[in-house]
Structures are given as structure tokens and as C-alpha cells.
Amino acid sequence: MGRRLVALAGDAGLAVVEAVEHDGHPELGRDAGELAGLESLGVPLGKTLGTDAGVVIDFSLPDGTRRVIEHCRSAGLPMVIGTTGLTDDDQKQIDTAASEIAVCQATNFSLVVNVLWKLAAEAAQLLGEGYDIEVLEAHHRYKKDAPSGTARTLAQRLCDATGRDFARDVVFARYGEDAPRQPKDITVQTLRLGDHAGEHTAFFATPGERLEIKHVSTSRDSYAVGALRAAAWLVDQPAGRYDMADVLGL
């Protein structure tokens, strides 16, 4: 994601002024532009985030994101957060930071995925009771968290649209000799397949017919484009917590 953000930043009217990786990364010191397949940008890959940026985009792991949040908060820098697998305590940290800086967090920055969330919620409301609702997600074999943050958000939007309770009605596994589907279940199933960039499907089914609303990603560029769009939008916003629905006006 970092390389694609660097590669596509110019198309979004943004300039890369810093690029940071974890201490010990094998490419530290190399030019970020060259790593992204561009000409040299004069921006070496570093391990310490400075204060020269107008906005920071973070796609990392939870430990890294926690440190970046505190840095942005102390430096007064707006922050776009694309890291998934964050805990409830992490969300509280983001809430605190958002009282002082502008923060845009999303479990998926793809414009199409955000439209998927909206359409799936509307479909659930229109179809009403009597339709089984299920979610299937697939990603590459190296993805650490499961299910994906995108799938969890999709399940949450479906719960909100139908009056379900996420903690009670969302199921993350179904197995055994006696495991029938309960009327309000929303089961989120996970696949890990090779180098799959990402796929999410919402199913609505009743005897005799089925509706599927699906997003299939064929590259990470869709996520990078959305994150860069969010960054360009965020620099003009006051302190607060935002998501892609705010960026896109959904």
C-alpha cells in the first residue's frame, strides 16, 4: 500500500514529502519514488516521522498506528487511518486524538466498497424480514486479521439497517452436527486465497430467489486512490472524526 500511495499521489494532486517504515526494514534509506517505480523523489525511506507533511496517511499494523496517532496529535497533523485489526482501546485513542486533530478512519477506502455498504443497507431495509443475510469475504493468504475490517463494517451496516444487534446476531463461524441458521443470524465467512486483493459479497436469500451485491478488487490501487482522496479532503477540515461517507457525501 505504501508503494501504491507514493506512486499515485501525484495523480491526486499531492506531493510525497516523507515516507516511513518500521525500524529494521531492508529498504530504509532508499528513495521512496524509486521503490514505487517512479523517478527519484528525493525522499529517502526513513524510520522516524517528522512534521513537514500537511497530512499523514497510515496503512500499517496496530502497534505502528498507535505511535503515529500520538505523533500526529502532538504535531497537529491531520491523519488518515487505513490500518485494520484495531482494538476498542485503539478506537478510544482515536476518539481522543480527534478532539484535537482531523482524523479520517475507514476499514476500506475503495469508493466502490463504500457504495456497496450503502446499497447493501438499503437492500436489507427494502427486503425486510424473511430474507437470510450473509457475508463472505476473501483476501490473500498473508492477511493477518480475520474477518476483514471491511466485512465487519458491512455486517455492522446490515445490523443497523435491520435493527439487529452486532454482538448477538453476527456469527463468525458455523459448524457442527446441529448448527441450523437462526432467523436473525448474519454469518461472516472468511477465505484466504493466494494473492487475492479482496472480495466482499452480501447475500440476501429467501426460498426461490437470491440477491448478491459484490465488490471484487483486482489491485490495491482502488484503496490507495480512495485514501489519497480522503487525505486531500481532510486537510481543510476542522478537528473531528470522519469516514469515507463524509469524504464522498454519502
Side-chain angles (χ1 to χ4, degrees):
M1 279 301 302
R3 295 181 190 223
R4 298 314 300 156
L5 288 165
V6 171
L8 298 171
D11 294 340
L14 301 175
V16 177
V17 296
E18 293 184 40
V20 179
E21 258 292 359
H22 64 84
D23 190 8
H25 192 279
E27 305 290 358
L28 287 177
R30 288 193 58 190
D31 187 86
E34 293 176 355
L35 288 172
L38 308 175
E39 296 181 356
S40 175
L41 295 177
V43 179
L45 184 64
K47 59 183 179 180
T48 303
L49 186 63
T51 58
D52 293 335
V55 59
V56 173
I57 304 176
D58 179 70
F59 279 82
S60 57
L61 297 174
D63 282 346
T65 298
R66 292 169 195 135
R67 293 191 290 271
V68 175
I69 291 170
E70 289 308 308
H71 177 86
C72 289
R73 182 182 173 191
S74 63
L77 294 174
M79 181 178 181
V80 174
I81 301 175
T83 302
T84 60
L86 299 175
T87 66
D88 290 342
D89 285 342
D90 294 328
Q91 300 301 335
K92 292 177 183 177
Q93 183 188 18
I94 294 170
D95 286 338
T96 300
S99 67
E100 301 176 23
I101 61 173
V103 178
C104 181
Q105 181 190 17
T107 51
N108 196 307
F109 282 91
S110 160
L111 277 60
V112 178
V113 165
N114 280 269
V115 172
L116 163 68
W117 287 335
K118 184 176 180 64
L119 293 177
E122 290 180 351
Q125 290 176 327
L126 289 169
L127 293 172
E129 296 182 3
Y131 281 78
D132 301 329
I133 303 176
E134 303 278 20
V135 173
L136 177 67
E137 67 101 342
H139 280 90
H140 56 87
R141 64 173 65 171
Y142 302 108
K143 184 170 176 58
K144 290 189 175 183
D145 57 317
S148 68
T150 301
R152 293 179 66 91
T153 298
L154 176 54
Q156 183 66 67
R157 299 290 179 90
L158 292 167
C159 285
D160 294 343
T162 59
R164 287 173 165 86
D165 180 83
F166 186 95
R168 182 186 65 237
D169 298 320
V170 176
V171 180
F172 295 106
R174 181 181 291 123
Y175 60 90
E177 296 181 359
D178 186 19
R181 187 183 195 282
Q182 301 303 311
K184 287 193 173 183
D185 280 358
I186 298 178
T187 304
V188 181
Q189 302 282 8
T190 296
L191 301 177
R192 292 293 174 258
L193 304 168
D195 61 352
H196 202 317
E199 179 176 328
H200 295 85
T201 307
F203 297 88
F204 305 87
T206 195
E209 61 181 353
R210 181 175 73 248
L211 171 66
E212 299 179 14
I213 304 178
K214 176 186 291 188
H215 169 263
V216 178
S217 178
T218 55
S219 88
R220 293 181 176 84
D221 283 9
S222 58
Y223 312 133
V225 168
L228 290 164
R229 180 166 173 175
W233 179 87
L234 195 64
V235 293
D236 296 322
Q237 305 308 313
R241 186 163 183 165
Y242 304 95
D243 59 21
M244 281 299 286
D246 298 308
V247 176
L248 300 175
L250 296 175

